[in-house]
Coordinates of all heavy atoms in Angstrom, one line a residue:
I1239 N -13.4 -32.1 -17.4 CA -13.2 -30.6 -17.2 C -14.2 -30.0 -16.4 O -14.0 -29.2 -15.5 CB -13.1 -29.9 -18.6 CG1 -11.8 -30.3 -19.3 CG2 -13.1 -28.4 -18.4 CD1 -11.7 -29.8 -20.7
A1240 N -15.5 -30.4 -16.6 CA -16.6 -29.9 -15.8 C -16.6 -30.3 -14.4 O -16.9 -29.5 -13.5 CB -17.9 -30.3 -16.4
V1241 N -16.1 -31.5 -14.1 CA -16.1 -32.0 -12.7 C -14.8 -31.7 -12.0 O -14.9 -31.1 -10.9 CB -16.3 -33.5 -12.7 CG1 -16.1 -34.1 -11.3 CG2 -17.7 -33.9 -13.3
S1242 N -13.7 -32.0 -12.6 CA -12.4 -31.8 -11.8 C -11.5 -30.7 -12.4 O -10.8 -30.0 -11.6 CB -11.6 -33.1 -11.8 OG -11.3 -33.6 -13.1
G1243 N -11.5 -30.6 -13.7 CA -10.6 -29.5 -14.3 C -11.0 -28.1 -13.8 O -10.1 -27.4 -13.3
S1244 N -12.3 -27.8 -13.8 CA -12.7 -26.5 -13.3 C -13.2 -26.6 -11.9 O -13.6 -25.6 -11.3 CB -13.8 -26.0 -14.2 OG -13.4 -25.7 -15.5
G1245 N -13.3 -27.8 -11.4 CA -13.9 -28.1 -10.1 C -13.3 -27.3 -8.9 O -14.1 -26.8 -8.0
P1246 N -12.0 -27.0 -8.8 CA -11.5 -26.2 -7.7 C -12.1 -24.8 -7.6 O -12.3 -24.3 -6.5 CB -10.0 -26.1 -8.0 CG -9.7 -27.4 -8.8 CD -10.9 -27.7 -9.6
A1247 N -12.5 -24.3 -8.8 CA -13.1 -22.9 -8.8 C -14.5 -23.0 -8.1 O -14.9 -22.1 -7.4 CB -13.3 -22.4 -10.2
Y1248 N -15.2 -24.1 -8.3 CA -16.5 -24.3 -7.6 C -16.3 -24.3 -6.1 O -17.1 -23.8 -5.3 CB -17.3 -25.5 -8.1 CG -17.2 -25.8 -9.5 CD1 -17.3 -27.1 -10.0 CD2 -17.2 -24.8 -10.5 CE1 -17.3 -27.5 -11.3 CE2 -17.2 -25.1 -11.9 CZ -17.2 -26.5 -12.3 OH -17.2 -26.8 -13.6
F1249 N -15.3 -25.1 -5.7 CA -15.0 -25.2 -4.3 C -14.7 -23.8 -3.7 O -15.2 -23.5 -2.6 CB -13.9 -26.2 -4.1 CG -13.3 -26.1 -2.7 CD1 -13.9 -26.8 -1.6 CD2 -12.1 -25.4 -2.4 CE1 -13.4 -26.7 -0.3 CE2 -11.6 -25.4 -1.2 CZ -12.2 -26.0 -0.1
F1250 N -13.9 -23.1 -4.4 CA -13.5 -21.8 -3.8 C -14.7 -20.8 -3.8 O -14.8 -20.0 -2.9 CB -12.3 -21.2 -4.6 CG -11.1 -22.0 -4.5 CD1 -10.4 -22.4 -5.7 CD2 -10.6 -22.4 -3.3 CE1 -9.2 -23.1 -5.6 CE2 -9.4 -23.1 -3.2 CZ -8.7 -23.5 -4.3
Y1251 N -15.6 -21.0 -4.7 CA -16.8 -20.2 -4.8 C -17.7 -20.5 -3.5 O -18.2 -19.6 -2.9 CB -17.6 -20.6 -6.1 CG -18.8 -19.7 -6.4 CD1 -18.6 -18.5 -7.1 CD2 -20.0 -20.0 -6.0 CE1 -19.7 -17.7 -7.5 CE2 -21.1 -19.3 -6.4 CZ -20.9 -18.1 -7.1 OH -22.0 -17.3 -7.5
L1252 N -17.8 -21.8 -3.2 CA -18.5 -22.2 -2.0 C -17.8 -21.6 -0.8 O -18.4 -21.1 0.2 CB -18.7 -23.7 -1.9 CG -19.2 -24.3 -0.6 CD1 -20.6 -23.8 -0.4 CD2 -19.1 -25.8 -0.6
L1253 N -16.5 -21.8 -0.8 CA -15.7 -21.3 0.4 C -15.9 -19.8 0.6 O -16.0 -19.3 1.8 CB -14.2 -21.6 0.1 CG -13.3 -21.6 1.3 CD1 -13.8 -22.7 2.3 CD2 -11.9 -22.0 0.9
E1254 N -16.0 -19.0 -0.5 CA -16.2 -17.6 -0.4 C -17.5 -17.4 0.3 O -17.6 -16.5 1.2 CB -16.3 -17.0 -1.8 CG -15.0 -16.8 -2.5 CD -15.2 -16.2 -3.9 OE1 -15.5 -15.0 -3.9 OE2 -15.1 -16.9 -4.9
A1255 N -18.6 -18.1 -0.1 CA -19.9 -17.9 0.5 C -19.9 -18.3 2.0 O -20.5 -17.6 2.8 CB -20.9 -18.8 -0.2
M1256 N -19.2 -19.4 2.4 CA -19.2 -19.8 3.8 C -18.5 -18.7 4.6 O -18.9 -18.4 5.7 CB -18.5 -21.1 3.9 CG -19.2 -22.3 3.3 SD -18.3 -23.8 3.3 CE -18.3 -24.2 5.0
V1257 N -17.4 -18.2 4.1 CA -16.6 -17.1 4.9 C -17.5 -15.9 5.0 O -17.6 -15.3 6.1 CB -15.3 -16.8 4.1 CG1 -14.6 -15.6 4.8 CG2 -14.4 -18.0 4.2
E1258 N -18.2 -15.5 3.9 CA -19.0 -14.3 4.0 C -20.1 -14.4 4.9 O -20.5 -13.5 5.7 CB -19.5 -13.9 2.6 CG -18.4 -13.4 1.6 CD -19.0 -13.1 0.2 OE1 -20.2 -13.0 0.1 OE2 -18.2 -13.0 -0.7
A1259 N -20.7 -15.7 5.0 CA -21.8 -15.9 5.9 C -21.3 -15.8 7.4 O -22.0 -15.3 8.2 CB -22.4 -17.3 5.6
G1260 N -20.1 -16.4 7.6 CA -19.5 -16.3 8.9 C -19.3 -14.9 9.4 O -19.6 -14.5 10.5
Q1261 N -18.8 -14.1 8.5 CA -18.6 -12.7 8.8 C -19.9 -12.0 9.1 O -20.0 -11.2 10.0 CB -17.8 -12.0 7.7 CG -16.4 -12.4 7.5 CD -15.6 -11.7 6.4 OE1 -15.8 -12.0 5.3 NE2 -14.9 -10.7 6.8
A1262 N -20.9 -12.3 8.3 CA -22.2 -11.6 8.4 C -22.8 -12.0 9.8 O -23.6 -11.2 10.4 CB -23.1 -12.1 7.3
E1263 N -22.4 -13.2 10.3 CA -22.9 -13.6 11.6 C -22.0 -13.2 12.8 O -22.2 -13.6 13.9 CB -23.2 -15.1 11.6 CG -24.3 -15.5 10.8 CD -25.7 -15.0 11.3 OE1 -25.8 -14.8 12.5 OE2 -26.6 -14.8 10.4
G1264 N -20.9 -12.4 12.5 CA -20.1 -11.9 13.5 C -18.7 -12.4 13.7 O -17.9 -11.9 14.5
L1265 N -18.3 -13.4 12.9 CA -17.0 -13.9 13.0 C -16.0 -13.0 12.3 O -16.4 -12.4 11.3 CB -16.9 -15.3 12.4 CG -17.6 -16.5 13.1 CD1 -17.5 -17.7 12.2 CD2 -17.0 -16.7 14.4
D1266 N -14.8 -12.9 12.7 CA -13.8 -12.2 12.0 C -13.4 -13.0 10.8 O -13.6 -14.3 10.8 CB -12.6 -11.8 12.8 CG -11.8 -13.0 13.3 OD1 -11.0 -13.6 12.6 OD2 -12.1 -13.4 14.5
R1267 N -12.8 -12.4 9.7 CA -12.6 -13.1 8.5 C -11.6 -14.3 8.7 O -11.7 -15.3 8.1 CB -12.0 -12.2 7.4 CG -11.8 -12.8 6.1 CD -11.6 -11.8 4.9 NE -11.5 -12.5 3.6 CZ -12.6 -12.8 2.9 NH1 -13.8 -12.5 3.4 NH2 -12.5 -13.4 1.8
E1268 N -10.5 -14.1 9.5 CA -9.5 -15.1 9.7 C -10.2 -16.4 10.3 O -9.9 -17.5 9.9 CB -8.4 -14.6 10.6 CG -7.3 -15.6 10.8 CD -6.2 -15.1 11.7 OE1 -6.2 -13.9 12.1 OE2 -5.2 -15.8 11.9
T1269 N -11.0 -16.1 11.3 CA -11.6 -17.3 12.0 C -12.6 -18.0 11.1 O -12.7 -19.2 11.0 CB -12.4 -16.8 13.3 OG1 -11.4 -16.2 14.2 CG2 -13.0 -18.0 14.0
A1270 N -13.4 -17.2 10.4 CA -14.4 -17.8 9.4 C -13.7 -18.6 8.4 O -14.1 -19.7 8.0 CB -15.2 -16.7 8.8
T1271 N -12.6 -18.1 7.8 CA -11.8 -18.8 6.8 C -11.2 -20.1 7.3 O -11.3 -21.1 6.7 CB -10.7 -17.9 6.2 OG1 -11.3 -16.7 5.7 CG2 -9.9 -18.6 5.2
M1272 N -10.7 -20.0 8.5 CA -10.1 -21.2 9.1 C -11.1 -22.3 9.3 O -10.9 -23.5 9.0 CB -9.4 -20.9 10.5 CG -8.7 -22.0 11.2 SD -8.0 -21.5 12.8 CE -6.9 -20.2 12.3
L1273 N -12.3 -21.9 9.9 CA -13.3 -22.9 10.1 C -13.9 -23.5 8.8 O -14.1 -24.7 8.7 CB -14.5 -22.3 10.9 CG -14.2 -21.9 12.3 CD1 -15.3 -21.1 12.9 CD2 -14.0 -23.2 13.2
A1274 N -14.0 -22.6 7.8 CA -14.6 -23.1 6.5 C -13.6 -24.0 5.8 O -14.1 -25.1 5.3 CB -14.9 -21.9 5.6
V1275 N -12.4 -23.7 5.8 CA -11.4 -24.5 5.1 C -11.3 -25.9 5.8 O -11.3 -26.9 5.1 CB -10.0 -23.8 5.1 CG1 -8.9 -24.8 4.6 CG2 -10.0 -22.6 4.2
A1276 N -11.2 -25.9 7.1 CA -11.1 -27.1 7.9 C -12.3 -28.0 7.7 O -12.2 -29.2 7.5 CB -10.9 -26.8 9.3
T1277 N -13.5 -27.3 7.6 CA -14.7 -28.1 7.4 C -14.8 -28.7 6.1 O -15.1 -29.9 5.9 CB -15.9 -27.1 7.6 OG1 -15.9 -26.6 9.0 CG2 -17.2 -27.9 7.4
C1278 N -14.5 -28.0 5.0 CA -14.5 -28.5 3.7 C -13.5 -29.7 3.5 O -13.8 -30.7 2.9 CB -14.3 -27.4 2.6 SG -15.6 -26.3 2.5
G1279 N -12.3 -29.4 4.0 CA -11.2 -30.4 3.9 C -11.6 -31.7 4.7 O -11.4 -32.8 4.2
G1280 N -12.2 -31.5 5.9 CA -12.6 -32.6 6.7 C -13.7 -33.4 6.1 O -13.7 -34.7 6.1
A1281 N -14.7 -32.7 5.5 CA -15.8 -33.4 4.9 C -15.3 -34.2 3.7 O -15.8 -35.4 3.5 CB -16.8 -32.4 4.4
A1282 N -14.4 -33.7 2.9 CA -13.9 -34.4 1.7 C -13.1 -35.7 2.2 O -13.3 -36.8 1.6 CB -13.0 -33.5 0.9

């Protein structure tokens, strides 16, 4: 449960941070989200 059952929530938590950081550096939310999602999926 700690690793996989609740795990998707941890991933989305990280994704939120990546998107917020991208926006803080000037990216629009759509672009930041697209890059973050593709990066996490590609890394996995």
Side-chain angles (χ1 to χ4, degrees):
I1239 291 171
V1241 174
S1242 62
S1244 297
Y1248 316 148
F1249 166 78
F1250 296 130
Y1251 190 87
L1252 171 63
L1253 200 58
E1254 286 179 71
M1256 293 174 70
V1257 172
E1258 288 179 18
Q1261 287 183 282
E1263 291 295 330
L1265 293 174
D1266 62 79
R1267 186 168 184 81
E1268 182 179 359
T1269 300
T1271 301
M1272 184 182 301
L1273 289 171
V1275 171
T1277 298
C1278 290

